[in-house]
Amino acid sequence: MEESMRNYPEDFLSYIISEVGSEKYRNFFVYGVDVLVDGKRSCAKFISEVLKYFDLISFPHATIKSTIKDMENFGWVEVSLENIEPGDIVIYEENENGRNHLGFYIGNGIVVSNSTKERVIKKHHYEFDGNRKIIKVLAYS
């Protein structure tokens, strides 16, 4: 695995990788309604829970927009795709349903994120094998 030159905590990447297969980010209830639709919309919850665990944002979030805003307020900055490093956050273009997606880059072209179809945390190619475009990469500074 590539070494990060960023200021990520020592066990950050191993923790992210240990969450592969986890279903614990599937649900978030507001007034009895699961706003994450049993894991279909859990990428922000996964990313923000891990970032909060490592004190890299202020709060866990259920939405991508609020997660990104908190990250930027906490000192995360945009870097080019050419300068991506393990631990950075990849932000994807909107899908056919108008939703973006977030994932942790872990190196060697691999991202860890929530699988909308399988509703668990999975590893996948960083560009979904060319099926989804990366629009931004955020790094902790």
Side-chain angles (χ1 to χ4, degrees), residues 56-58 66-77:
L56 297 174
I57 60 172
S58 301
S66 64
T67 300
I68 293 170
K69 183 176 180 180
D70 194 358
M71 290 172 65
E72 291 170 341
N73 289 339
F74 221 79
W76 289 74
V77 296

Side-chain angles (χ1 to χ4, degrees), residues 22-130:
S22 176
E23 296 180 359
K24 69 183 179 186
Y25 306 98
R26 284 175 77 149
N27 309 102
F28 184 79
F29 292 91
V30 178
Y31 299 111
V33 176
D34 182 7
V35 297
L36 301 180
V37 194
D38 195 33
K40 286 181 74 173
R41 299 183 187 155
S42 295
C43 67
K45 177 77 167 152
F46 167 58
I47 298 296
S48 66
E49 287 278 353
V50 171
L51 294 180
K52 177 57 183 156
Y53 179 80
F54 285 97
D55 292 320
L56 297 174
I57 60 172
S58 301
F59 303 101
H61 299 271
T63 69
I64 292 170
K65 284 183 183 181
S66 64
T67 300
I68 293 170
K69 183 176 180 180
D70 194 358
M71 290 172 65
E72 291 170 341
N73 289 339
F74 221 79
W76 289 74
V77 296
E78 187 171 356
V79 296
S80 69
L81 185 58
E82 293 77 30
N83 292 316
I84 195 169
E85 293 185 15
D88 293 350
I89 304 294
V90 178
I91 304 168
Y92 294 93
E93 69 182 345
E94 291 181 353
N95 63 10
E96 63 278 356
N97 297 318
R99 292 188 185 91
N100 295 93
H101 185 68
L102 301 173
F104 286 107
Y105 182 74
I106 61 167
N108 300 317
I110 303 298
V111 166
V112 173
S113 70
N114 180 66
S115 168
T116 300
K117 291 180 183 175
E118 296 178 46
R119 301 175 184 191
V120 298
I121 306 307
K122 300 274 293 187
K123 289 182 184 180
H124 57 83
H125 184 269
Y126 78 114
E127 288 185 329
F128 286 99
D129 296 322

